[in-house]
Amino acid sequence: METSTPSNKPTQERVYLIIIAVLTLAVGVLSYQLITLRTSYQQISMQRSNLEGERNDLKEELNSMLQQYDKLKTDNNKLTAEMQAQKDQIKNLLDQIEKNKGNVTLIAKYRREVVTLRTIMKSYVVTIDSLNTVNQQLTEENVQVKTELGSVKNRAEELAGKNAEMSGLIAKASILKASGL
């Protein structure tokens, strides 16, 4: 059995105090790291949630644009081909959004593309609307011209009838003059 010597006891106490201090410091550092990691996790979780919401908003907006393109009707073949190309681009963008779910940079890029596509679609709507307005005006003008043409034809037939009648009278009058001599 060993007996503790009085000079050895303070040294042991110091060692224990140093160990306790080191352990307390380690617990403090680990607690700080734990809090930092939790905060980072919460921020990442919130960013992911926001990103998911924005991605869903983009998908809804693109699907809405597809429906609006389907409602647009025009007889202009060039415009129809351009609108089909835009619809294909929207479908491609939807596929890319689905493939790149967690990429913040790509979602921001897709948001800019959606804004561009929305602007293009608005220009198509304006163009189709103006073409429809012009078409309606031309149709009304065509109806008016046909009506005027019909009245001019009737007037011409009337005049042709009067002319024939006058020619008949002139022919009778020339016969009358010849017989009176």
Side-chain angles (χ1 to χ4, degrees):
M1 250 194 184
E2 276 186 43
T3 57
S4 293
T5 61
S7 65
N8 200 11
K9 192 172 185 182
T11 309
Q12 271 185 334
E13 287 177 5
R14 265 192 238 155
V15 169
Y16 289 144
L17 286 174
I18 291 173
I19 291 173
I20 290 173
V22 169
L23 289 175
T24 304
L25 183 64
V27 166
V29 168
L30 290 174
S31 296
Y32 174 77
Q33 287 179 343
L34 178 64
I35 291 169
T36 305
L37 284 175
R38 258 193 206 149
T39 306
S40 295
Y41 176 76
Q42 288 173 346
Q43 289 174 349
I44 290 171
S45 179
M46 184 177 266
Q47 286 176 349
R48 182 182 173 110
S49 175
N50 290 341
L51 183 63
E52 191 69 27
E54 188 169 338
R55 187 175 69 83
N56 288 336
D57 289 346
L58 281 174
K59 285 171 62 176
E60 286 178 25
E61 190 170 351
L62 287 170
N63 285 324
S64 169
M65 288 172 64
L66 279 175
Q67 290 174 351
Q68 288 176 351
Y69 270 117
D70 287 339
K71 290 178 184 176
L72 293 176
K73 300 288 184 219
T74 182
D75 294 333
N76 187 324
N77 292 336
K78 181 181 176 192
L79 196 57
T80 302
E82 288 176 10
M83 288 188 329
Q84 185 60 44
Q86 292 301 317
K87 283 172 61 174
D88 292 342
Q89 187 174 356
I90 289 171
K91 289 175 184 174
N92 184 28
L93 194 56
L94 275 169
D95 290 342
Q96 288 178 12
I97 288 172
E98 198 58 40
K99 288 177 189 173
N100 301 308
K101 290 183 179 181
N103 194 330
V104 176
T105 308
L106 288 177
I107 295 295
K109 176 187 167 198
Y110 297 151
R111 171 62 65 192
R112 289 188 301 273
E113 284 186 41
V114 166
V115 169
T116 302
L117 289 171
R118 174 73 64 192
T119 304
I120 291 170
M121 188 181 75
K122 285 180 182 178
S123 72
Y124 285 149
V125 168
V126 169
T127 302
I128 289 172
D129 189 41
S130 65
L131 286 174
N132 286 340
T133 302
V134 169
N135 191 22
Q136 186 176 8
Q137 289 172 347
L138 289 174
T139 302
E140 290 171 2
E141 186 178 319
N142 189 12
V143 167
Q144 183 181 3
V145 167
K146 284 181 179 178
T147 303
E148 289 176 8
L149 179 63
S151 66
V152 167
K153 281 183 178 179
N154 288 340
R155 180 80 173 135
E157 288 173 4
E158 236 177 68
L159 290 175
K162 284 185 181 181
N163 191 13
E165 192 178 303
M166 293 276 201
S167 293
L169 285 174
I170 292 174
K172 285 181 185 177
S174 70
I175 294 174
L176 284 177
K177 285 184 184 177
S179 53
L181 286 172

